[in-house]
Amino acid sequence: MMTLPSELWQTINTFIYTIYQAESIDKLRRTTLEKLPELVPSDCSFFDLARVEKNQTRYFNPMSLTISQEKLAEYFDSFIYGDYVSWMFSLHQNSVVYCDSKIVTDEVREQTPLYNQWLKPMNLYYSSGINFVCENVPYGSLNLFNSRERGDFTPQNLEILTVLEPHFTLKLTQLYPHGLPILVDQTGEQPLDKYHLTEREKEIVRWLCTAANIEEISQQLYISVHTVRKHAANIYRKTNCKNRNQLVALLANERFA
C-alpha cells in the first residue's frame, strides 16, 4: 500500500462525497465518468451494470462519455466473454481493483481478438478499473483505458481506485441491497426523459416495472411506504397513467416503438 500525496486527499474526499450524494445508479455512473479523470486520467472509460442470470454474471447497459454506442455494442455482442478481465473477476466474492498488465503480458494481450479487433482500432492498449461485487452479488464494473502514448496505469492510479472502491460498493448496496432488479435495463433514460422525472422517480419506475410490491420497494430503497406511494403518484401524474399496469404498458410500448 502506497502513501498518496496530501494534496490529492481534498479531491478524493470531494469525489467520495459525490458518490454518496448520487440519487440513482445512473447519476452515480454519470458523475463518476465526468469527475474521475481529475483523479485517474484515462483516454476512454465505461461503467456497466451486472446481475446474476441462470447462475452466470451478465453485464449490460454500459454508459460512456468517450466511447460510441456502436463500439460499446460491439464489445458486448462480440468480445465481453473473451475478455480475460471480465471472466476472471466475475468469479470473485467481493469487489476487485484490477490492472490488466498485472494479469497478462503484452505478448499475450496482442494475440487476443479483444485487443486486435476492439482496442487497437481505437488506439487503446492498457486497461484498469473496478469490478463491483458484494458477497457474491455483482453490480457492474468501471473500466478505464489508456493508449500506449499515455502509458499504463500507475501505482498511484491503482491506489486511488483502491481507496474509492469500498465507497462505490457501499453506495451500490445501499441503492440495491439484493442486487439489480431484473428490469433495470429495460426502462432506460431515453423513454423517461420527456416526462421530466427526478432521479429518484426514475429509480422508483424501475422497481414499479418489477414484481415487487410497495412494501418490498420501500425495504429495497430504505424509504417509507408513504414516500414510495408519494413518488408513484407523482410518476403517474407526469406520465398521465392511472396505475402501475398502465405505466408498465406505456414504457413497454415506447421502448419497442
Side-chain angles (χ1 to χ4, degrees):
M1 182 175 179
M2 69 176 297
T3 302
L4 295 171
S6 57
E7 60 269 19
L8 268 180
W9 278 103
Q10 182 175 352
T11 306
I12 291 172
N13 289 334
T14 299
F15 188 90
I16 291 171
Y17 176 77
T18 65
I19 290 175
Y20 289 112
Q21 287 297 106
E23 298 177 347
S24 71
I25 198 166
D26 285 342
K27 182 65 174 179
L28 174 64
R29 294 196 294 164
R30 182 169 295 278
T31 299
T32 298
L33 295 170
E34 290 173 347
K35 301 294 186 182
L36 187 60
E38 297 174 12
L39 287 168
V40 182
S42 63
D43 289 313
C44 292
S45 60
F46 71 83
F47 196 150
D48 60 20
L49 304 178
R51 61 169 172 259
V52 174
E53 293 182 4
K54 298 179 180 178
N55 296 320
Q56 292 186 332
T57 299
R58 178 196 165 213
Y59 293 89
F60 62 94
N61 195 13
M63 178 184 290
S64 179
L65 305 180
T66 51
I67 302 175
S68 71
Q69 287 300 312
E70 290 76 15
K71 293 299 291 185
L72 289 172
E74 182 182 338
Y75 172 78
F76 279 79
D77 289 343
S78 304
F79 300 109
I80 187 169
Y81 296 108
D83 186 339
Y84 38 83
V85 170
S86 177
W87 63 256
M88 180 176 292
F89 290 128
S90 66
L91 303 176
H92 280 245
Q93 295 182 351
N94 290 295
S95 296
V96 180
V97 174
Y98 75 88
C99 182
D100 74 339
S101 62
K102 310 296 183 186
I103 303 170
V104 298
T105 65
D106 290 353
E107 181 180 7
V108 170
R109 180 209 321 274
E110 291 167 8
Q111 294 174 356
T112 63
L114 173 66
Y115 171 70
N116 284 292
Q117 299 174 36
W118 196 73
L119 290 169
K120 189 175 181 180
M122 292 190 289
N123 192 34
L124 300 176
Y125 194 82
Y126 302 102
S127 71
S128 180
I130 310 173
N131 199 60
F132 300 110
V133 187
C134 184
E135 298 180 353
N136 286 320
V137 178
Y139 287 92
S141 63
L142 170 63
N143 305 274
L144 312 176
F145 303 93
N146 275 348
S147 64
R148 277 182 179 272
E149 291 75 18
R150 184 184 289 274
D152 199 359
F153 293 88
T154 66
Q156 178 172 293
N157 295 154
L158 299 180
E159 183 63 24
I160 291 171
L161 293 176
T162 301
V163 169
L164 296 176
E165 176 274 311
H167 300 284
F168 276 117
T169 302
L170 177 57
K171 181 62 181 181
L172 288 166
T173 58
Q174 288 175 343
L175 289 170
Y176 295 103
H178 304 293
L180 298 174
I182 197 70
L183 294 182
V184 73
D185 60 334
Q186 295 185 11
T187 55
E189 297 231 1
Q190 194 170 2
L192 299 176
D193 282 345
K194 67 180 181 181
Y195 298 111
H196 307 293
L197 302 181
T198 67
E199 293 296 329
R200 176 58 90 180
E201 287 168 351
K202 290 177 182 179
E203 202 79 5
I204 299 291
V205 165
R206 293 188 176 93
W207 282 102
L208 291 173
C209 289
T210 72
N213 60 38
I214 295 298
E215 289 75 17
E216 289 169 335
I217 296 172
S218 167
Q219 293 169 6
Q220 291 280 355
L221 298 179
Y222 292 100
I223 58 179
S224 69
V225 169
H226 172 75
T227 300
V228 175
R229 293 187 189 281
K230 182 178 179 181
H231 283 307
N234 287 334
I235 292 165
Y236 299 148
R237 175 178 55 81
K238 290 180 180 181
T239 58
N240 198 30
C241 291
K242 293 182 178 180
N243 53 44
R244 188 169 180 171
N245 288 337
Q246 283 192 6
L247 177 68
V248 172
L250 172 70
L251 294 174
N253 289 337
E254 293 207 354
R255 184 171 184 263
F256 294 107

